[in-house]
Structure formats: C-alpha cells, structure tokens
C-alpha cells in the first residue's frame, strides 16, 4: 500500500475518534442537567428546576439561550431549595452561562422572564456543574478532530510533492 493511503487511513481514524469523543463528551456533560425549551410571550416567564446534591458538588450552573436576542429583554433568577434568591441577572448575550454556589442539597429553580415587547424562543438549562473530567472528553475530542483535519492538509501537501518528484 502507498504511504499516502496509509496516512489517510490513520487520519480517518483520528477524525472518527474526535467525532465520537465530542459526541460522547456532550452526552456525559449534559446528563445531570435539566433542560427546557419554550416560546415565552412578552411579559411572561417560565421556570425549570433541578435537584442538586451538595455532597456531589458545591457549584451549580445555568444557561439561557435566546433566539432573536434583544438587549435587556430577558432576566434570569436562581432560587435555592428554601426559596431564597441566589442570583438575579439580565441576560446580556444570546448564549448566557453563569455559575452559582450550592449551599444546601435540594431543588434549585431557574426563573426566566421575558420583559421585552416580542415573544421569544428560550432554552434554559440548570443543574450541577459537570466535573472537569467530564468536560475533558469534549475538549479532547475537539483537539483530536482538529489534529485530523490538519493531517488531511499535511497528507495533501505530501501527496502533491511526491507526485511532482515522480513526474520529474
């Protein structure tokens, strides 16, 4: 077998491994998170909750993604299991993420309010912050995928140079 063919096979395996690790990483990262997608009318709100165990993590995370983002229109609040407000913030970009401290085990609630003039599609996520080991799956998969794509360029250059040498 020719050297470029073997190299392309290795690169194909790298790309496939990168895609699988990225997909698996995203599944592992989101497994403990609660997610809700809803069309929220102007002046309305919706709520999502997640059980968070303080023994597992001391940090929670919430994400709010807004379609047709408008500055100052969407507000998010986090409430602890006792009903106390932990976080109150205005969503300042299309995909907003913020972490919060977990002081007690129980059900944490995310309240998303649409204070704007238009109805808006909103995706909200809340739950315990994933472990760094879980986050590394997706990042590793991404880097392997990039390495494979760089390898394709390298093999292409190698094949063109090799072909020129043989033609001479």
């Amino acid at each position: 077998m020719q050297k470029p063919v073997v190299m392309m096979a290795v690169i194909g395996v790298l790309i496939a491994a990168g895609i699988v690790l990225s997909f698996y990483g995203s599944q592992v990262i989101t497994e403990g998170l609660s997610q809700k997608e809803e069309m929220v009318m102007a002046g309305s709100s919706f709520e999502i909750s997640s059980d968070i165990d303080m023994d597992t993590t001391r940090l929670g995370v919430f994400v709010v993604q807004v379609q047709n983002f408008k500055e100052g229109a969407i507000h998010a609040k986090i409430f602890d299991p006792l009903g106390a407000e932990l976080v109150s913030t205005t969503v300042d970009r299309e995909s907003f993420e913020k972490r919060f401290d977990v002081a007690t085990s129980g059900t944490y609630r995310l309240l998303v309010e649409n204070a704007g003039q238009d109805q808006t599609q909103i995706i909200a996520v809340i739950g315990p912050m994933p472990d760094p080991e879980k986050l590394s799956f997706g990042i590793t998969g991404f880097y392997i995928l990039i390495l494979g794509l760089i390898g394709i360029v390298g093999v292409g250059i190698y094949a063109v140079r090799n072909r020129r040498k043989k033609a001479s």
Side-chain angles (χ1 to χ4, degrees):
M1 221 188 314
Q2 293 179 342
K3 207 172 195 180
V5 174
V6 172
M7 293 168 108
M8 284 302 281
V10 169
I11 290 168
V13 168
L14 279 175
I15 290 173
I19 290 170
V20 167
L21 277 175
S22 294
F23 179 75
Y24 178 69
S26 67
Q27 294 293 323
V28 168
I29 289 169
T30 60
E31 73 184 350
L33 302 175
S34 298
Q35 178 179 339
K36 186 175 183 181
E37 181 175 352
E38 195 166 306
M39 183 65 78
V40 182
M41 304 300 285
S44 296
S45 63
F46 79 98
E47 191 174 288
I48 182 173
S49 61
S50 178
D51 291 328
I52 302 176
D53 185 7
M54 188 179 86
D55 296 331
T56 306
T57 185
R58 298 269 185 196
L59 202 57
V61 66
F62 72 94
V63 178
V64 177
Q65 291 183 334
V66 182
Q67 193 173 25
N68 303 327
F69 175 76
K70 289 189 175 61
E71 189 75 32
I74 306 299
H75 303 284
K77 295 179 182 180
I78 297 290
F79 297 95
D80 71 5
L82 303 173
E85 187 176 297
L86 297 177
V87 176
S88 179
T89 186
T90 299
V91 176
D92 61 0
R93 56 190 172 277
E94 261 183 58
S95 185
F96 181 85
E97 176 183 328
K98 190 165 183 164
R99 297 174 183 166
F100 59 91
D101 293 325
V102 174
T104 59
S105 296
T107 303
Y108 285 76
R109 297 180 298 126
L110 167 60
L111 178 69
V112 181
E113 302 170 326
N114 181 1
Q117 302 296 320
D118 303 319
Q119 69 177 8
T120 305
Q121 183 77 22
I122 298 175
I123 300 172
V125 178
I126 185 173
M129 183 67 186
D131 297 331
E133 296 86 28
K134 291 180 179 181
L135 294 173
S136 69
F137 275 114
I139 294 169
T140 303
F142 174 74
Y143 285 127
I144 290 173
L145 188 59
I146 295 298
L147 183 65
L149 294 174
I150 291 170
I152 287 175
V153 172
V155 169
I157 293 169
Y158 174 80
V160 168
R161 284 189 178 175
N162 224 12
R163 192 168 278 175
R164 284 186 187 166
K165 285 181 185 178
K166 286 182 181 179
S168 304

